[in-house]
Amino acid sequence: MSDSQNIITLSNGIRIIHLQIKHSEIVHCGFMINAGSRDENLKNNGVAHFIEHTVFKGTNARKSHHILRRIESVGGELNAYTTREKTCYYASCLKEYAARAIDLLSDITFDSVFPEKELEKEKKVILEEIDMYDDSPEESIYDDFYTYIFKGHPLGYNILGTKTTVPKLSRQNILDFIKTHYTTDKLVLSIVGDLTVKQAESLGKRFVENITIPLKDKSVRVVPAINPQFNITKEKDFAQSHVILGSRAYSRNDEKRYGLSLINNILGGAGMSARLNMEVREKNALVYNIGTHYSSYQDAGVFSIYYAADDKNVQRCQDIIYKELRKMREIKFSEHQLKSAKIQLLGQMAQVVENNGVHMQHQARSVLDYGIIYGFKEFMKEIDNVSASEILEISNDIFAPENISVLIYQQEKN
């Protein structure tokens, strides 16, 4: 942990995670809550995302247009997002307006009033968002894949909700969800910028310490069961066929996650030299893009491979992918190959953490997930400890043919 990183606990139990970046003109700050769509049920599916939309619709102190202009009027950004396990409200602005940003974020996070008229309007906006995702196969296929791989479990729910659940969401659903999950043990304020620890603590005491919320979320997340392998094809009216192959993987608490992160980068990472990109696109020109994705959660994970191709090329792509996965299971990396793979991943990660806005969110997730600020140096050390034998072991676990499921959006036959 860097000497300039701090965790400050206010008297009401809310933690502030602070990192001073000297000579930066911009402050990034945000509240992150350890609650998302996996904390919903079949009746209120979509409520976490609905809250994220509607906190901007007015508080006891501000109308909606005042909220939207408060940061934008000084050239800053105010935004929010919801994932399966997290909700985040954040802002970026010139450092002289940091107090304005934290005041506003505190207001919308803890004092929104959720006017009924605005809720009904925002439901229509979310239904449009659902339609937009349905028209984007590269997005909607992931939602479908999660529905099957976490069948019957909230991790498989659509983050946006559905066309059935969203219209039925009520103000009471919102208030109940906030009361249950917006608690001090599941909520942090993260600040990154050229503010001293004393300044960060002073802002926290000024705008956050007077907030009263429950100390502990008493609900319990249920561990998802392992569902049978599936192979599903759906006809869709798209210009290409879209495909996901994948399997259940390691949770964010499993030590094997480091090895799988390295494998993920080797096979389909951000670089053009990733194995699947080289084989499927560069050598055979079968796709425009192909990539892999590893998502880890509190008690589960998913590894997936996605590509889009003309229907006549889908099987050929599959054959090449399975060939590359077999190589990962059977051929042990040389010392030179492993070192090169580690250098590439760490170089890419270093560029990511240079983004202070990303860093603000990362340190918030780290404290919520692990109780500590888990930094880049610690990640480097863990990656450096991954051995060639571990790569082989993990590949045989995750890429065993009997573990891999497939979902295809097939081009409709004319």
Side-chain angles (χ1 to χ4, degrees), residues 253-304:
N253 295 302
D254 195 313
E255 290 300 311
K256 292 180 181 178
R257 70 188 187 275
Y258 302 106
L260 187 54
S261 295
L262 188 56
I263 290 168
N264 179 57
N265 205 57
I266 292 165
L267 281 174
M272 294 286 286
S273 61
R275 285 191 176 189
L276 293 179
N277 188 73
M278 291 298 294
E279 293 299 321
V280 182
R281 173 181 166 151
E282 297 301 320
K283 289 186 181 180
N284 291 284
L286 296 173
V287 300
Y288 174 68
N289 69 10
I290 182 170
T292 62
H293 191 67
Y294 169 39
S295 296
S296 59
Y297 301 102
Q298 178 179 320
D299 43 23
V302 176
F303 181 88
S304 59

Side-chain angles (χ1 to χ4, degrees), residues 10 12 14 16 31 62 70 97-111 189 191 199-212:
L10 300 175
N12 60 358
I14 294 176
I16 300 172
F31 283 100
R62 295 179 173 92
R70 185 70 177 155
Y97 298 108
R100 179 183 294 212
I102 293 171
D103 177 27
L104 182 62
L105 288 169
S106 300
D107 197 25
I108 65 172
T109 304
F110 303 106
D111 207 25
L189 169 62
I191 303 172
Q199 288 173 316
E201 186 172 9
S202 175
L203 289 170
K205 288 181 175 180
R206 180 179 170 189
F207 297 115
V208 184
E209 197 161 40
N210 63 335
I211 292 161
T212 302

Side-chain angles (χ1 to χ4, degrees), residues 7 15 17 188 362-373:
I7 300 176
R15 289 165 292 177
I17 305 109
V188 296
H362 167 77
Q363 66 180 22
R365 278 192 296 271
S366 177
V367 170
L368 288 173
D369 291 344
Y370 304 110
I372 60 171
I373 301 170

